[in-house]
Amino acid sequence: MGGAGVRLAAGPTARATLEDVAREAGVSLATADRVVNKRPGVRDKTVARVETAVAKLGYRPDLAAAQLARNRSFRFAFILPTGDNTFMAELTEQVRHTTTWLAAQRAFVDVHHVDVFDPEAIGRALESLPPVYEGVAVVALDHPRVRIAIDDLAARGVAVVTLVSDVPGSRRLHYVGIDNPAAGRTAGTLMGKYLRGRTGKIGVVAGSLALRDHAERQFGFNQVLAGEHPNLRVLPAIEGRDDSAQTRPMAARLLAENPDLIGLYNVGAGNRGIAAALDESGRARDIVWIAHELTPHTRRFLVGGILDTVISQNAGHEARSAGRVLLAHCGGGKILSDQETIRIDIFVRDNIL
């Protein structure tokens, strides 16, 4: 081909080193190290030169190398739910995948399982953790017993990250999960659009409203329907502990007692129980059903046409984010808020993979 061509790079640009930063700033390696690691004893003008060099070169500290040089390693505990919740099983699997990457960063993970609907069980699990852990990630219940246990860990210098469900009144370091009120409002907006012009009742199913993520989703959902769709009456939530065997008879009773039910919103798990109850009622095609988390089961219900929309969060992103946050905090790195923001995903039958 004639004309001026586009010159392609021969390969990836080499990662900037601390030596590059020192050379660019015109300072010694020791001075550059002091500035990057936020240690005192460097003049403001020199700090500014080093920080300018860091920004120009895009320098990022290699935490693994630094920890190896200092002979440092970390141990983290992930406390995850028991039960047959498919999304939580996927989260557990993703945490196990993340342990491989963390091990390469000299951070090692132990996974513990507990009944997240039992505040005493979570509290005991947190309190009984041995002092070998520098960080903990926990799917938590927003309850005084759990808040006290988290605060006690923080007082001991242990970093706590809440995962999927938050305890904002505690001294936890960071929350990894979606904006649950926004997820509930999204469900409310979609329900209103699906049912535009119809009048009737909407059923809500939760695992437990003691779980903050479930309560916040219900709040957001009710907020939209009460403010924008007065023709739709939201019934009090039924709680099935995210268990399909418990949810099935409860959903069946809800359908039998409310012949004018035209919508269902499940803020948690137990979707197999809802699907079975809808199928048995013969009303599956007449009721708009919105649920959470894209799993093999909800994929099947979407394809089958009985589930209309799934509002989801990425379990892999959450597992990796919790690991990155704990590692950054314990290793003296920076937590990148944009990288750790968990998106709200919306799936219908036409865009699932």
Side-chain angles (χ1 to χ4, degrees):
M1 294 178 64
V6 177
R7 183 177 179 180
L8 300 178
T13 304
R15 177 172 174 159
T17 66
L18 190 59
E19 288 84 352
D20 296 329
V21 171
R23 190 180 305 111
E24 177 70 24
V27 299
S28 69
L29 181 60
T31 298
D33 181 73
R34 295 184 74 85
V35 174
V36 166
N37 290 290
K38 308 296 182 184
R39 291 195 293 272
V42 183
R43 291 182 301 174
D44 290 345
K45 288 184 178 180
T46 305
V47 169
R49 290 212 313 274
V50 173
E51 289 178 344
T52 299
V54 165
K56 178 179 177 181
L57 298 175
Y59 171 75
R60 289 177 290 116
D62 186 336
L63 290 179
Q67 285 152 204
L68 182 63
R70 298 170 190 163
N71 196 28
R72 294 185 67 188
S73 64
F74 305 112
R75 185 164 291 278
F76 303 143
F78 275 68
I79 299 179
L80 305 175
T82 56
D84 68 349
N85 184 323
T86 308
F87 173 76
M88 290 302 176
E90 181 183 352
L91 180 65
T92 299
E93 185 63 23
Q94 292 296 334
V95 167
R96 296 195 188 281
H97 290 322
T98 303
T99 61
T100 303
W101 173 77
L102 285 171
Q105 314 299 312
R106 295 180 59 79
F108 305 96
V109 171
D110 296 320
V111 176
H112 307 270
H113 287 92
V114 68
D115 181 357
V116 298
F117 297 106
D118 184 345
E120 286 296 325
I122 302 176
R124 285 194 301 270
L126 292 169
E127 290 170 352
S128 63
L129 288 172
V132 297
Y133 295 112
E134 287 87 6
V136 176
V138 56
V139 178
L141 187 73
D142 190 8
H143 184 279
R145 179 78 169 84
V146 179
R147 287 198 296 272
I148 289 171
I150 291 174
D151 289 350
D152 286 346
L153 284 171
R156 285 167 35 195
V158 179
V160 179
V161 168
T162 50
L163 185 58
V164 180
S165 188
D166 195 16
V167 188
S170 69
R171 293 177 58 190
R172 56 98 168 118
L173 169 70
H174 191 84
Y175 162 61
V176 174
I178 59 173
D179 181 333
N180 284 296
R185 289 194 296 271
T186 301
T189 295
L190 291 170
M191 185 69 75
K193 289 185 179 297
Y194 277 125
L195 294 174
R196 190 176 298 281
R198 296 177 64 185
T199 298
K201 296 176 183 174
I202 310 296
V204 176
V205 180
S208 170
L209 295 179
L211 285 169
R212 192 175 185 93
D213 57 330
H214 289 196
E216 289 182 338
R217 291 172 191 175
Q218 185 202 31
F219 171 78
F221 183 75
N222 289 349
Q223 190 178 46
V224 169
L225 291 193
E228 301 177 18
H229 302 282
N231 55 309
L232 302 175
R233 177 189 164 199
V234 181
L235 298 174
I238 58 176
E239 300 177 66
R241 293 177 65 90
D242 283 348
D243 181 85
S244 290
Q246 291 191 44
T247 301
R248 181 174 181 170
M250 298 173 74
R253 187 163 54 251
L254 178 71
L255 289 160
E257 293 175 354
N258 296 279
D260 55 347
L261 192 81
I262 58 175
L264 264 175
Y265 174 42
N266 184 15
V267 306
N271 289 304
R272 283 169 286 171
I274 294 175
L278 282 169
D279 184 59
E280 291 163 0
S281 74
R283 298 164 61 190
R285 304 287 174 173
D286 302 323
I287 291 178
V288 172
W289 177 22
I290 297 174
H292 279 264
E293 315 316 349
L294 190 65
T295 69
H297 303 298
T298 54
R299 285 174 188 270
R300 187 171 72 253
F301 301 146
L302 280 173
V303 171
I306 62 170
L307 178 56
D308 294 275
T309 299
V310 168
I311 298 167
S312 195
Q313 54 194 315
N314 189 298
H317 188 182
E318 290 177 326
R320 292 187 296 274
S321 179
R324 283 193 300 262
V325 168
L326 289 173
L327 184 63
H329 175 79
C330 294
K334 183 181 292 186
I335 297 173
L336 304 176
S337 58
D338 289 345
Q339 183 182 34
E340 311 310 343
T341 299
I342 309 298
R343 298 179 311 176
I344 297 172
D345 297 319
I346 300 173
F347 294 96
V348 295
R349 181 175 60 183
D350 305 294
N351 71 335
I352 56 175
L353 300 177

